[in-house]
Amino acid sequence: MDFELNDEQKMFRETLRDFADKEIAPVAPEWERTGRYPTEIVEGLRDLGLFGLNVPEEYGGLGADRVSYALAFEEIARAWLGAAGLFGPHSVACVLIARHGTAEQKERYLPRMATGELRSGICLTEPGAGTDLQGIATAAVRDGDHYVVTGAKTWITNARVAGVLPVLVKTGRAERAHEGMSVLLVDTSSPGFRVTRDLPKLGYKGPETCELVLDEVRVPVAGLLGGEEGRGLQQVLGGLEIGRINIAARAVGVAQAAYEAALGYSREREAFGRPISDFQAIQLKLADMATEIQAARLLTYWAADRAETTGGRVDMEAGMAKMYASEVAIRCALESMRVHGGYGYSAEFVVERLYRDAPLMAIGEGTNDVQRLVIAKALVSGGGRLGW
């Protein structure tokens, strides 16, 4: 049992931390406030190869192990959650194509996705279907060598900058709903594909999050992910599982930033002639935050390592990590605000942004209540167990 990162992972983490501290953290407050798109950060992520985290080396990607994958999101989110969103959904799209794509699809998309030349996201949620993906209404009707796609999607991150989007659609009727669902790789320049608006958000500023319409968009049959209808729900659930590891890691990064802000402020702020870090009430908050963050971090790395070593589904482990880490991020953001007192409510201090960002992780990639059901199902069925 080894709780240490290997030398390659340590070097990767230090490179990421240096980039985040120098290139992201200094500009995040102003760019978040003004809604400025972080083009320069995108270029930096390209230079680091982060768009190719989940692209195999044979296609020009990093082919990173899952722990390194988690490290990337933790370190970038620690500086600014929005910056992690620039390549988060893209990384899940890469998983879908790398795992399930045909040879032609991999050759066509993965090399350009690895460099960030071609950007992507995941196109699942609809105005009437979020948690229950089997309730989607977007339909794809076969017409010769094309599918004609009609429907609407919402909460799609990076929709305006994506060149291709994996879109979950219904390609047929089946006794069991999931058997009629497929994923189509949609070229966003196709006639009928239209981003209708950017959704206003409490936090998670930086990347755009959009509603879009597909109005009889023609997608070549060659764009059917894996070349087989009826596999879509299984494909996206496997991708979301890896996505939950990145959400858990982002939550750890936000929680770490909240803790660091509280610790630093407590050492500088004085009350009654002493730094407030001398007061037991503050010390108890810091101790609880530090302990919960480390527990969340280890749970996240454990889920990532299990995904790497088993090569199979880790629904329970990823669900545990995402659920716990996201709740820790929310608690730590609030506790950090309390340590800051009135200044914690000011937009001049980073904790105000962290407090707005943290709730996203409890919702994104499947709500925490859904994660509890996933965990319980694994335990009750015997497919998951505690201990070694």
Side-chain angles (χ1 to χ4, degrees):
M1 188 179 300
D2 189 355
F3 290 97
E4 291 292 324
L5 301 175
N6 63 38
D7 290 342
E8 185 176 344
Q9 289 165 341
K10 289 178 182 177
M11 186 178 301
F12 185 55
R13 181 188 62 188
E14 291 308 309
T15 299
L16 292 165
R17 184 168 296 178
D18 183 66
F19 170 75
D21 287 345
K22 292 180 179 177
E23 305 297 332
I24 299 178
V27 300
E30 178 65 14
W31 292 5
E32 201 261 3
R33 184 183 66 81
T34 61
R36 182 186 187 283
Y37 191 78
T39 302
E40 294 87 343
I41 295 175
V42 171
E43 293 304 316
L45 297 174
R46 283 177 173 158
D47 292 341
L48 289 170
L50 295 186
F51 286 103
L53 274 172
N54 287 337
V55 176
E57 292 182 354
E58 63 189 285
Y59 295 102
L62 293 183
D65 64 89
R66 296 299 183 214
V67 173
S68 296
Y69 174 71
L71 284 169
F73 286 99
E74 178 184 345
E75 292 299 327
I76 300 301
R78 176 179 149 270
W80 185 15
L81 180 66
L86 297 170
F87 65 107
H90 174 96
S91 73
V92 177
C94 291
V95 168
L96 292 179
I97 296 173
R99 278 184 176 177
H100 305 293
T102 63
E104 189 276 333
Q105 288 167 349
K106 293 176 185 179
E107 289 287 350
R108 179 179 179 185
Y109 296 113
L110 291 179
R112 291 187 295 146
M113 293 175 77
T115 63
E117 173 194 348
L118 180 66
R119 294 172 63 188
S120 190
I122 49 173
C123 210
L124 311 178
T125 303
E126 299 185 1
T131 297
D132 178 19
L133 288 176
Q134 294 188 61
I136 65 168
T138 299
V141 179
R142 183 74 178 262
D143 179 24
D145 58 358
H146 284 77
Y147 289 98
V148 179
V149 184
T150 302
K153 297 289 182 177
T154 191
W155 294 109
I156 311 303
T157 300
N158 296 326
R160 290 193 183 277
V161 297
V164 63
L165 283 171
V167 180
L168 185 64
V169 300
K170 287 188 174 178
T171 45
R173 295 182 179 180
E175 184 176 335
R176 292 184 292 183
H178 71 271
E179 294 178 348
M181 302 173 73
S182 305
V183 173
L184 295 178
L185 302 175
V186 177
D187 184 335
T188 60
S189 66
S190 302
F193 180 95
R194 188 170 75 258
V195 175
T196 54
R197 70 176 181 127
D198 291 7
L199 294 165
K201 298 171 292 184
L202 173 69
Y204 193 43
K205 307 295 178 68
E208 73 279 22
T209 305
C210 306
E211 287 183 347
L212 57 87
V213 169
L214 299 104
D215 183 9
E216 297 189 350
V217 176
R218 297 184 67 84
V219 180
V221 170
L224 174 66
L225 184 64
E228 181 181 354
E229 289 188 6
R231 307 292 295 175
L233 189 62
Q234 292 173 312
Q235 291 167 344
V236 300
L237 290 180
L240 288 174
E241 173 193 59
I242 300 303
R244 285 170 189 144
I245 292 173
N246 100 45
I247 294 294
R250 292 194 222 185
V252 172
V254 169
Q256 180 73 28
Y259 162 76
E260 290 173 359
L263 179 62
Y265 183 80
S266 72
R267 288 168 169 167
E268 298 171 358
R269 177 70 171 179
E270 291 191 357
F272 307 102
R274 300 160 58 189
I276 64 172
S277 59
D278 285 354
F279 294 103
Q280 191 175 68
I282 299 298
Q283 292 174 352
L284 295 178
K285 291 183 186 297
L286 294 172
D288 285 345
M289 291 169 68
T291 302
E292 287 201 317
I293 292 166
Q294 191 61 4
R297 177 176 288 113
L298 292 174
L299 191 56
T300 299
Y301 292 2
W302 168 69
D305 184 67
R306 290 281 293 166
E308 181 71 20
T309 56
T310 66
R313 294 284 293 269
V314 288
D315 298 84
M316 184 188 79
E317 294 91 335
M320 285 180 168
K322 187 268 185 191
M323 179 191 72
Y324 184 73
S326 60
E327 297 293 344
V328 167
I330 292 170
R331 287 196 293 271
C332 285
L334 178 57
E335 288 305 293
S336 184
M337 181 174 283
R338 285 173 167 157
V339 170
H340 282 74
Y343 286 114
Y345 205 63
S346 168
E348 294 179 347
F349 284 71
V350 69
V351 67
E352 179 267 348
R353 185 179 84 231
L354 301 175
Y355 183 73
R356 289 185 290 104
D357 282 345
L360 172 69
M361 274 79 73
I363 301 169
E365 236 76 331
T367 67
N368 282 356
D369 284 340
V370 167
Q371 302 316 306
R372 290 180 174 92
L373 295 175
V374 169
I375 295 163
K377 182 179 179 181
L379 295 172
V380 170
S381 69
R385 64 184 179 87
L386 298 183
W388 304 104

